[in-house]
Amino acid sequence: MPIEQGRTGLAPDRLRVLVADLFRAQGLSAPSAALVADALVAADLGDRASHGVMLVPMYLERIRAGSVSLADEAAVAHDGRTAVVLDAGNALGQISARQACRIAVERAHEYGLAMVTVRNAFHFGEAGFWARQMADAGCVGVAMSNTRPLMPAPGGAQRCVGNNPLAIAMPHEGDIPVALDMAMSASAMGKIRLAQQEGRAIPEGWATDAQGVPTRDPAEAIQGLLLPSAGPKGFGLAFMIDLLCGGLSDGAIGGQVRPLYGSADTPYGCAQAFMAIDPAHFGLSRSLSGRAAEFARQVRQSPPAPGATRIYSPGERSWQSAQDRQALCPVSADVARELAGLARASGVALPAEWQSL
């Protein structure tokens, strides 16, 4: 079922079932497998393939190697009512993130705002997925994670901090989310890996090689340095996110986070932070959800610059992509072949459309 050169696809529900079955075949519980599949497929639907099902082979390899556990719940290491620390014990990041969001929202409804940090965590996919979960529950949602060092300090030639994603989502009226989801580098490493898989060059300004020389070669970039978004601003934000996540969880900071695509038997060990803010506790005379939706609408209706055809509000482009892909979720042909091979090796039923892969 070709979509465009180098890509294939499946109906989203069928892709979710395939991904969930692959995790169940490795021993993950059915509810947790469904959660992981939903979060990964949501990224592909939202045109964030770097955080989607391309991650499945790496996740499964780490489960088999023992660096990712099959636990369905993180341990509560500290409970300060509005300040909670979880120890994920290297479980899949989506599992501990769901737990952290649930606690943050429950406590925010009770106290006004709450923050949950997570140590010994694993990759949780798209940060925006978790911020939006909290927004859907009526709270301002904030999700952050640190990663292994990928970016140099301005003027430096050594990796010092990760590209540490930050997502903020507002409660909103209507269907279109009001959300920000960004890494602190000019581009996420996952996008560079996807470009390498698909044989594409990367844009200028994304990365340098190992010697600090700008490069458009994704292979050189993976071995080199990611460049901070907006220079010292992106670096400074990444530095602070590292401390908020690792410092407030008593977890890893900087180089204590191990490479995600490194030794499969070595825990990743990142740290994450989730904050929920309930507007109902702020004595507001006007609805924040209504004001957020109206502000976003004003942005969309603002005059376009010459050459531009449409203005998007924060979070709208990804949402629109997901609406357009309800019938068919595109997947890189290389990723599809890899998933098909994993399905055959695990005895998982393969969709008819992918039998020839």
Side-chain angles (χ1 to χ4, degrees):
M1 188 180 294
I3 298 173
E4 58 187 71
Q5 185 175 8
R7 299 181 80 77
T8 182
L10 276 181
D13 285 347
R14 301 185 71 187
L15 184 57
R16 291 186 191 98
V17 169
L18 173 62
V19 171
D21 285 349
L22 287 170
F23 283 102
R24 289 180 62 192
Q26 292 301 317
L28 195 64
S29 71
S32 291
L35 169 68
V36 175
D38 186 43
L40 294 178
V41 173
D44 282 296
L45 290 172
D47 200 22
R48 293 179 180 270
S50 58
H51 293 69
V53 300
M54 70 166 283
L55 296 167
V56 171
M58 182 266 291
Y59 281 17
L60 294 175
E61 181 184 13
R62 282 185 164 273
I63 289 173
R64 289 191 294 269
S67 67
V68 169
S69 85
L70 297 174
D72 288 319
E73 191 172 56
V76 177
H78 170 78
D79 190 339
R81 296 187 180 180
T82 61
V84 178
V85 180
L86 300 179
D87 189 325
N90 302 308
L92 285 164
Q94 290 80 2
I95 294 169
S96 55
R98 173 185 57 184
Q99 183 179 351
C101 289
R102 175 180 55 78
I103 294 171
V105 166
E106 289 175 353
R107 302 296 174 87
H109 286 330
E110 183 175 0
Y111 299 108
L113 67 162
M115 187 170 188
V116 181
T117 59
V118 186
R119 65 183 182 231
N120 296 319
F122 183 63
H123 192 270
F124 61 13
E126 181 189 12
F129 184 86
W130 306 109
R132 295 193 301 272
Q133 298 288 306
M134 292 183 276
D136 289 344
C139 292
V140 178
V142 182
M144 297 173 276
S145 180
N146 61 13
T147 75
R148 61 116 170 186
L150 293 166
M151 303 192 305
Q158 177 181 340
R159 294 174 170 181
C160 293
V161 300
N163 58 345
N164 302 350
L166 166 69
I168 305 172
M170 292 284 170
H172 60 89
E173 295 178 358
D175 295 330
I176 304 175
V178 179
L180 165 76
D181 185 358
M182 60 180 289
M184 296 304 143
S185 56
S187 178
M189 178 61 83
K191 290 184 179 180
I192 295 174
R193 292 188 182 279
L194 187 63
Q196 183 188 38
Q197 285 186 355
E198 297 179 351
R200 294 184 284 107
I202 60 174
E204 293 181 5
W206 276 19
T208 73
D209 64 16
Q211 284 71 48
V213 178
T215 184
R216 297 192 63 205
D217 183 333
E220 290 183 350
I222 289 169
Q223 299 301 318
L225 308 171
L226 293 189
L227 293 174
S229 176
K233 297 178 182 179
F235 176 84
L237 278 169
F239 181 88
M240 292 302 178
I241 290 170
D242 225 319
L243 289 169
L244 286 170
C245 293
L248 291 178
S249 68
D250 205 18
I253 291 173
Q256 295 168 345
V257 183
R258 309 311 300 158
L260 186 61
Y261 284 85
S263 299
D265 59 356
T266 301
Y268 183 46
C270 69
Q272 295 155 357
F274 305 83
M275 179 182 289
I277 305 168
D278 186 350
H281 286 256
F282 285 76
L284 304 177
S285 61
R286 292 169 288 177
S287 160
L288 177 61
S289 59
R291 298 186 76 187
E294 176 57 29
F295 193 22
R297 190 159 39 247
Q298 291 174 15
V299 169
R300 292 193 294 273
Q301 294 173 354
S302 62
T309 58
R310 181 175 175 182
I311 306 299
Y312 291 89
S313 57
E316 183 194 8
R317 189 186 294 271
S318 183
W319 172 84
Q320 186 61 62
S321 174
Q323 303 312 300
D324 296 341
R325 295 176 172 188
Q326 288 303 302
L328 194 67
C329 181
V331 178
S332 159
D334 287 340
V335 171
R337 280 190 288 270
E338 196 165 6
L339 294 180
L342 289 168
R344 293 188 182 97
S346 303
V348 167
L350 193 61
E353 298 94 325
W354 286 8
Q355 292 288 349
S356 62
L357 294 176

